[in-house]
Amino acid sequence: LAVRPVHGEAEVLSVEENAVLTQVGPETPGGELLRRYWHPIAAAADLQTERVLPIRVLGEDLVLYRSGNGDFGLVDRRCPHRSLSLTLGWTEDEGIRCAYHGWYFNKDGQCIAQPYEDTVGGGTFKERVKITAYPVEELGGLLWTYLGPQPIPLLPKWEVLVRENADREIAFTTLPCNWVQIAENGLDPVHVEWLHVNQSNLAASLQGRPPVVPSFRHLKIDFAPFEYGIYKRRLIEGDPEDSRDWTVGHPLIFPGILAQEHMFQFRTPVDDTHTLHIVYTVHSDGSGKTVCQELPYEDENGRPLDEYVVQQDFSAWIGQGDIAPRNIEKLGRSDRGIVLYRQMLQNAIDAVQQGLDPIGVIRDPAMNEPSVRLEYEGKSPHTTRLGDSLQFAGVKK
Ligand code: FES
Ligand SMILES: [Fe+2]
């Protein structure tokens, strides 16, 4: 990969290299990488109100449903008979039935009834009809799927997903941009000064209000690969060298999860230019309730929203274009984490092409039980400073 550090700066990607990292569809190298991980695709609560939901994930059009006997199914959206969308179908005990001529499919995608064929023939045609089907699991109030080959890896039990006596707020947004620029934000500590702090203070001053956040500067940033991704650390001007922002920090988990002690951001690629973004906030000492909401990124006039801090991030990611043109960037020393991430992303793609598991795939139950616990900076000077005035993600400013 042509990312070679030069005097503290780095060479940019070519157009072709950018395509390799950002394509998500079947049989693309990037899409094959993404097909080695579980992805959240919906709230479990969505299927309490609707029995059948259209889902687009990794460039594939599917339907998600809950059958009468309680199983989840995720299958090809088109009926293989004459292509009716199965979103028009309905669920029965064993699976989903097409509304046009009643062909009936179980959760493995096997056709188990073709009413007219069964009436007039021996009823064996259906044995030769099978549609694409993917596994679905429920964890932490979310429904997850895996679109890759057997053997299926374990669905990672990140501790926030299974924390007991906690309340959960889950905010869903489908963003009109590629997933990689969203993931890269997790390796970009410096943007906080500008996108969140200085921009918020400018908006306040234009409205004649005092600054909402004390401004600050990053003095040092550092990045460290670990078994699930990369930790980022920051030293803020005025903070001691032993501050947990600098000694611990928090990680980006491959392929694109931002992880903090009480808030994860999951990013599920919908297609090359859309991403399902999920802000997953956990409040300890709760009663176990889960609240889901749609979080918009723009108002009815198409203006970016910034009521929530994460909406400032949304506008930045969308503002880079549907797929950020990495071939025309000028990378500086603030971008060291991003350069490292791209190298590791390419390494992970290469590993899959060689038939190996990429970074962060969990197959050993001992690593996943009772949960995967990671270290975080917690309530550090930096998060306290921001938290007093600007709340991150899922919480209003
Ligand atoms: S199109 Fe689905 S049963 Fe005919
Ligand atoms: Fe941000």
Side-chain angles (χ1 to χ4, degrees):
L1 185 69
V3 182
R4 293 175 287 273
V6 183
H7 305 303
E9 297 176 9
E11 289 196 4
V12 297
L13 301 188
S14 67
V15 170
E16 295 73 24
E17 288 165 332
N18 194 24
V20 167
L21 296 191
T22 53
Q23 287 172 352
V24 308
E27 288 163 33
T28 63
E32 286 301 310
L33 171 68
L34 293 164
R35 282 166 175 75
R36 298 306 186 277
Y37 299 97
W38 285 85
H39 300 279
I41 50 171
D46 290 346
L47 281 184
Q48 281 153 11
T49 47
E50 298 282 339
R51 294 292 285 274
V52 181
L53 284 177
I55 296 285
R56 185 164 164 79
V57 57
L58 305 187
E60 299 189 35
D61 286 316
L62 308 168
V63 287
L64 174 66
Y65 66 84
R66 186 199 277 271
S67 67
N69 63 21
D71 288 337
F72 295 109
L74 181 66
V75 296
D76 203 353
R77 195 178 302 173
R78 276 188 190 286
C79 177
H81 177 216
R82 283 179 34 224
S83 304
L84 192 71
S85 172
L86 288 174
T87 52
L88 298 168
W90 62 83
T91 56
E92 297 183 16
D93 282 354
E94 305 267 306
I96 189 164
R97 193 182 286 274
C98 179
Y100 210 177
H101 314 94
W103 287 22
Y104 185 30
F105 303 90
N106 70 14
K107 72 175 161 57
D108 300 322
Q110 182 63 49
C111 185
I112 53 174
Q114 294 165 318
Y116 188 75
E117 308 304 319
D118 294 344
T119 300
V120 299
T124 57
F125 177 23
K126 60 179 176 279
E127 289 160 23
R128 287 170 279 131
V129 177
K130 192 168 183 187
I131 55 177
T132 302
Y134 298 115
V136 177
E137 287 199 30
E138 180 174 359
L139 181 65
L142 294 169
L143 298 179
W144 303 74
T145 191
Y146 169 83
L147 274 59
Q150 305 274 341
I152 301 175
L154 296 173
L155 169 57
K157 285 190 182 177
W158 309 117
E159 185 271 337
V160 288
L161 296 171
V162 297
R163 191 178 303 175
E164 291 184 11
N165 304 319
D167 290 336
R168 295 181 162 74
E169 281 178 73
I170 314 179
F172 296 82
T173 312
T174 299
L175 297 169
C177 65
N178 181 260
W179 74 277
V180 177
Q181 61 218 53
I182 303 175
E184 287 175 340
N185 176 267
L187 284 313
D188 181 359
V190 174
H191 86 276
V192 173
E193 286 176 40
W194 290 94
L195 185 72
H196 302 309
V197 176
N198 295 341
Q199 180 173 232
S200 298
N201 289 341
L202 174 65
S205 88
L206 291 174
Q207 295 165 4
R209 293 187 288 120
V212 289
V213 200
S215 56
F216 58 83
R217 288 195 304 160
H218 287 72
L219 293 184
K220 293 196 259 188
I221 56 175
D222 204 8
F223 306 90
F226 77 117
E227 62 188 322
Y228 298 114
I230 307 173
Y231 267 87
K232 72 164 178 284
R233 304 187 286 114
R234 45 165 57 99
L235 183 66
I236 302 291
E237 190 171 33
D239 286 352
E241 291 266 342
D242 66 356
S243 89
R244 287 180 65 81
D245 281 321
W246 183 234
T247 58
V248 182
H250 62 261
L252 186 286
I253 296 171
F254 263 63
I257 303 170
L258 180 73
Q260 292 179 281
E261 187 168 11
H262 303 294
M263 193 269 289
F264 270 41
Q265 294 179 11
F266 298 105
R267 290 76 178 249
T268 299
V270 172
D271 55 31
D272 288 355
T273 56
H274 295 86
T275 306
L276 173 64
H277 193 275
I278 302 174
V279 181
Y280 191 95
T281 310
V282 177
H283 306 279
S284 300
D285 302 321
S287 57
K289 69 173 186 295
T290 298
V291 178
C292 298
Q293 62 168 326
E294 292 285 330
L295 182 63
Y297 59 84
E298 61 183 15
D299 67 14
E300 54 287 356
N301 300 313
R303 276 190 299 258
L305 291 167
D306 71 347
E307 187 182 12
Y308 296 91
V309 170
V310 73
Q311 289 172 322
Q312 296 174 330
D313 290 304
F314 292 169
S315 64
W317 306 331
I318 295 167
Q320 287 176 285
D322 55 3
I323 301 174
R326 293 175 178 76
N327 57 307
I328 57 170
E329 294 174 335
K330 300 222 175 349
L331 298 172
R333 277 166 285 192
S334 67
D335 305 307
R336 282 176 39 227
I338 286 163
V339 171
L340 173 65
Y341 173 67
R342 293 176 186 173
Q343 286 171 331
M344 288 176 63
L345 194 55
Q346 184 63 55
N347 291 347
I349 288 170
D350 293 344
V352 169
Q353 294 299 311
Q354 292 159 23
L356 304 171
D357 271 344
I359 181 171
V361 167
I362 302 176
R363 297 192 184 275
D364 178 2
M367 290 172 71
N368 209 34
E369 296 296 339
S371 67
V372 187
R373 287 177 175 275
L374 303 176
E375 225 195 331
Y376 304 101
E377 69 275 73
K379 210 160 164 49
S380 65
H382 163 66
T383 51
T384 304
R385 188 184 289 114
L386 284 170
D388 286 346
S389 37
L390 284 180
Q391 289 291 331
F392 276 80
V395 182
K396 286 191 181 184
K397 278 198 288 196

